[in-house]
Amino acid sequence: MHDIWDLDQRGIPGGMIATTAFEQAANAQSAALNFDPAIVYVPHPIQDRTDDEIKTIARDALTPVMRMISASA
């Protein structure tokens, strides 16, 4: 979060991908920084997933990630 905030302060757009387990923490940090970052959340956990499960998570995240990076341009 702080890295994206730092980039934003420099005029460089950014975004992040995090698992849903970190949504509450990200909301708290963004509120503390008075910053509305671009975030795409994916299912938690990531570790111990099969290759097929990871591919599905990535495929499902593709459209939101493309929207996020297009909006930052």
Side-chain angles (χ1 to χ4, degrees), residues 4 7 12-17 35 37-40 68-69 72:
I4 296 167
L7 289 171
I12 302 168
M16 65 185 251
I17 301 169
F35 176 58
I39 306 173
V40 172
M68 177 176 67
I69 63 175
S72 297

Side-chain angles (χ1 to χ4, degrees), residues 10-57:
R10 297 174 194 218
I12 302 168
M16 65 185 251
I17 301 169
T19 67
T20 53
F22 297 97
E23 190 167 358
Q24 185 176 5
N27 289 336
Q29 284 188 20
S30 65
L33 293 169
N34 194 29
F35 176 58
D36 186 25
I39 306 173
V40 172
Y41 292 102
V42 297
H44 185 85
I46 292 295
Q47 71 276 9
D48 299 328
R49 297 276 188 159
T50 66
D51 288 350
D52 286 339
E53 289 172 323
I54 292 295
K55 287 175 187 175
T56 298
I57 290 170

